[in-house]
Amino acid sequence: MAWFMGAVLLLALLTALLAPRLLRLQQERQERRADEHYRKQLQAATDHAITTAVRARLAEPVVDLHITIPMRVTVGDVIARALEDFALEVPWDHAAAMLRHRLEFRGHARWPDLITDVFDDEEDHTP
């Protein structure tokens, strides 16, 4: 019977010592999930803004083969799309970083007729 009481006391001691660490691990896991969810929503909003700009460019009628209609996509477009699609308020620097990344990933960053403010100085856009 004494060994049973010793085992119960040992388990109680382990529980008391491990509970704060387990709680901290759970909180860190929830923060990582929230960060990943935020990143995925921001990426989806950015892709939607780029796709909208590409479609708008392609919808323009061709009147002269020597004139190309520029593709316009701005950080404001991404911020508006995130707010509209996901009710997500995104700071300018996060939207700019994601837009830069997605333009490069999708191959649009090398387009000579791309008009964007993503490569402007961030200090001009801080509140």
Side-chain angles (χ1 to χ4, degrees):
M1 189 64 163
W3 65 269
F4 181 73
M5 291 301 290
V8 169
L9 286 174
L10 180 64
L11 286 175
L13 180 64
L14 283 174
T15 303
L17 292 175
L18 291 179
R21 176 67 182 143
L22 292 174
L23 182 62
R24 196 167 48 249
L25 286 172
Q26 182 180 8
Q27 289 171 344
E28 290 171 0
R29 188 174 322 138
Q30 288 174 347
E31 288 174 6
R32 282 194 307 272
R33 285 182 185 156
D35 290 345
E36 182 66 17
H37 186 66
Y38 171 81
R39 187 194 65 75
K40 285 181 179 180
Q41 286 182 329
L42 180 55
Q43 181 176 329
T46 304
D47 284 340
H48 193 183
I50 293 171
T51 300
T52 301
V54 169
R55 287 180 181 167
R57 177 180 180 233
L58 294 175
E60 290 291 326
V62 176
V63 293
D64 188 356
L65 293 177
H66 300 292
I67 298 174
T68 58
I69 307 297
M71 182 177 93
R72 296 176 189 266
V73 61
T74 65
V75 177
D77 296 335
V78 173
I79 292 171
R81 183 58 58 197
L83 190 60
E84 184 178 317
D85 290 352
F86 302 108
L88 184 67
E89 293 186 16
V90 180
W92 193 92
D93 58 334
H94 290 187
M98 184 60 78
L99 181 57
R100 213 176 296 118
H101 167 70
R102 297 308 292 172
L103 284 172
E104 291 169 359
F105 179 80
R106 292 172 63 153
H108 297 300
R110 291 181 288 283
W111 283 18
D113 57 348
L114 171 66
I115 297 176
T116 184
D117 61 349
V118 74
F119 300 106
D120 293 348
D121 292 331
E122 289 181 23
E123 56 201 35
D124 295 340
H125 302 282
T126 55

